[in-house]
């Protein structure tokens, strides 16, 4: 009987665990929807900024413009901005981005270039701090769905390090959202800006939908319409000054989009991890139920044999 009770307790424990993992999966799904709404809400500003920069790029020759954010110099130190999460239970999301950051640091070290980390998220900070790696700044406790205020604080720190010549280049390492079951760690040079980096590219918007009771992601290609400024347009300010004011906004916008994609990737990874945990719990419950039934049948058989043996002894 003690064995039967232990199996019953185990089944109850697995049932409770499944309820928790299923609840966490649904919460992550709701936050993915919020993330996609945030991306959609920030698109009008991003599109307008891209149009203005495109017009200025055609009006000016960026190679001849002497602005600090466009100036390339000899690279002695690189800042690696690593974007991870504050929590776990999201599969290999944090481990894959940290591994990619370590690979990039090893490449820079082999080239004789110094590096320092700027971490976003507690997981990256804890990992690199335990290994006594150089960390310039840390950011954590951001909104689950990043906002412009979050990205602005990070962008200000990056620009400050670049202007003060503490670092000569800033590389952003984040997770690009592909689907609910796939994400890709990527590296992007954030500073200094280049004319190629300011070119307008086609973009994608993801939408979380439900079909047949299952979550799915639909991707929609979006093309930003751009046009040259009219040739007779007169600027009240020097176009170079306008460009100097817009470039920090562009960096902030690029950083915000990376944070949003990373947040969507983390939530999608958590959804997948919790879904797998729920499936494993269901399989374990089936196995335990089968073991319980076998043990119960064995116990009943043993009791019947004892009754028959007792009856025979009385005869």
């Amino acid at each position: 009987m003690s064995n039967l009770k232990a199996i019953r307790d185990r089944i109850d424990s697995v049932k409770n665990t499944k309820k928790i993992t299923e609840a966490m999966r649904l919460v992550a799904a709701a936050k993915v929807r919020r993330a996609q709404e945030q991306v959609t809400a920030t698109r009008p500003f991003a599109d307008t900024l891209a149009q203005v920069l495109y017009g200025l790029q055609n009006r000016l020759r960026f190679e001849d413009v002497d602005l600090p954010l466009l100036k390339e110099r000899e690279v002695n130190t690189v800042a690696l901005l690593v974007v991870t999460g504050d929590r776990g239970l999201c599969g290999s999301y944090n481990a894959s981005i940290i591994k990619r950051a370590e690979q990039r640091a090893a490449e820079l070290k082999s080239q004789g270039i110094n590096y320092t980390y700027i971490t976003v998220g507690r997981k990256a900070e804890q990992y690199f701090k335990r290994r006594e790696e150089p960390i310039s700044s840390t950011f954590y406790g951001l909104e689950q769905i990043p906002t412009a205020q979050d990205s602005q604080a990070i962008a200000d720190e990056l620009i400050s390090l670049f202007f003060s010549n503490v670092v000569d280049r800033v590389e952003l390492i984040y997770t690009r959202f592909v689907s609910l079951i796939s994400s890709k760690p990527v590296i992007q040079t954030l500073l200094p800006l280049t004319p190629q980096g300011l070119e307008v590219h086609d973009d994608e918007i993801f939408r979380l939908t439900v079909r047949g009771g299952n979550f799915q992601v639909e991707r929609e290609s979006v093309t930003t319409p751009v046009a040259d400024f009219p040739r007779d347009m007169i600027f009240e300010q020097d176009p170079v000054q306008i460009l100097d004011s817009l470039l920090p906004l562009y960096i902030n916008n690029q950083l915000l989009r990376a944070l949003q994609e990373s947040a969507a990737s983390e939530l999608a990874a958590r959804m997948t991890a919790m879904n797998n945990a729920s499936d494993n719990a269901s399989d374990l419950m089936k196995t335990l139920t089968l073991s319980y039934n076998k043990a119960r049948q064995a116990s009943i058989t043993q009791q019947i044999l004892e009754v028959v043996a007792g009856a025979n002894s009385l005869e």
Side-chain angles (χ1 to χ4, degrees):
M1 292 298 293
S2 59
N3 186 37
L4 289 176
K5 184 178 184 305
I7 297 176
R8 282 199 304 269
D9 293 342
R10 183 79 185 279
I11 292 174
D12 292 340
S13 175
V14 173
K15 283 182 179 179
N16 293 333
T17 301
K18 183 180 178 181
K19 291 179 181 178
I20 295 173
T21 57
E22 187 64 20
M24 292 180 67
R25 183 181 74 91
L26 295 176
V27 169
K31 290 182 177 180
V32 168
R33 290 183 183 276
R34 287 178 53 200
Q36 77 184 32
E37 291 172 358
Q38 186 75 9
V39 171
T40 304
T42 57
R43 277 210 63 84
F45 173 79
D47 291 345
T48 303
L49 181 60
Q51 292 174 11
V52 174
L53 287 175
Y54 179 82
L56 289 172
Q57 184 177 11
N58 288 343
R59 180 66 65 90
L60 301 170
R61 288 178 55 88
F62 278 13
E63 295 84 352
D64 300 332
V65 175
D66 186 18
L67 292 177
L69 293 178
L70 297 174
K71 182 180 294 185
E72 296 189 28
R73 54 179 182 256
E74 182 181 357
V75 178
N76 295 315
T77 304
V78 175
L80 299 177
L81 177 61
V82 184
V83 182
T84 61
D86 287 336
R87 299 180 298 163
L89 297 178
C90 51
S92 62
Y93 167 78
N94 291 312
S96 61
I97 199 70
I98 290 174
K99 181 180 178 181
R100 187 67 185 92
E102 285 186 315
Q103 291 175 349
R104 182 54 181 160
E107 293 172 1
L108 294 173
K109 189 175 182 180
S110 66
Q111 298 171 11
I113 299 176
N114 298 322
Y115 65 89
T116 183
Y117 288 110
I118 300 174
T119 61
V120 178
R122 292 185 184 276
K123 290 299 180 180
E125 179 197 11
Q126 293 170 354
Y127 182 88
F128 292 123
K129 185 175 290 185
R130 284 197 300 267
R131 286 155 180 80
E132 297 183 353
E133 292 282 359
I135 300 177
S136 295
S137 304
T138 59
F139 299 89
Y140 53 84
L142 306 183
E143 295 291 335
Q144 185 68 63
I145 309 302
T147 63
Q149 288 77 12
D150 296 327
S151 61
Q152 185 63 60
I154 301 173
D156 290 344
E157 176 67 16
L158 297 177
I159 293 174
S160 175
L161 291 174
F162 186 74
F163 280 172
S164 60
N165 294 327
V166 175
V167 299
D168 304 301
R169 188 169 70 213
V170 177
E171 295 182 0
L172 171 62
I173 305 176
Y174 71 102
T175 306
R176 179 170 293 166
F177 181 82
V178 178
S179 67
L180 287 178
I181 59 174
S182 177
S183 57
K184 180 181 179 182
V186 296
I187 298 179
Q188 173 186 341
T189 299
L190 204 58
L191 289 171
L193 294 171
T194 62
Q196 293 76 20
L198 293 172
E199 291 178 355
V200 178
H201 302 281
D202 289 344
D203 203 354
E204 287 185 332
I205 292 180
F206 62 90
R207 301 183 187 279
L208 182 65
T209 61
V210 179
R211 289 185 180 178
N214 297 321
F215 291 108
Q216 294 182 352
V217 170
E218 296 179 351
R219 305 186 73 87
E220 176 185 350
S221 295
V222 179
T223 301
T224 302
V226 293
D228 292 339
F229 290 153
R231 286 297 174 184
D232 58 350
M233 176 179 287
I234 300 175
F235 294 94
E236 292 187 3
Q237 289 180 301
D238 185 350
V240 175
Q241 293 180 349
I242 299 176
L243 181 62
D244 190 29
S245 300
L246 290 180
L247 288 180
L249 291 178
Y250 177 79
I251 294 173
N252 185 21
N253 183 71
Q254 290 292 99
L255 187 55
L256 175 60
R257 185 59 189 269
L259 292 176
Q260 289 172 341
E261 290 225 12
S262 295
S265 299
E266 179 185 357
L267 293 171
R270 184 166 288 113
M271 281 181 59
T272 301
M274 294 301 101
N275 185 63
N276 292 337
S278 297
D279 292 342
N280 292 337
S282 297
D283 294 340
L284 182 56
M285 285 169 55
K286 291 179 182 178
T287 302
L288 290 173
T289 301
L290 182 61
S291 299
Y292 176 79
N293 291 335
K294 289 181 178 180
R296 187 167 178 270
Q297 289 173 359
S299 176
I300 293 174
T301 301
Q302 180 65 30
Q303 291 174 5
I304 292 174
L305 291 175
E306 291 176 356
V307 170
V308 172
N312 291 335
S313 65
L314 291 176
E315 293 178 356

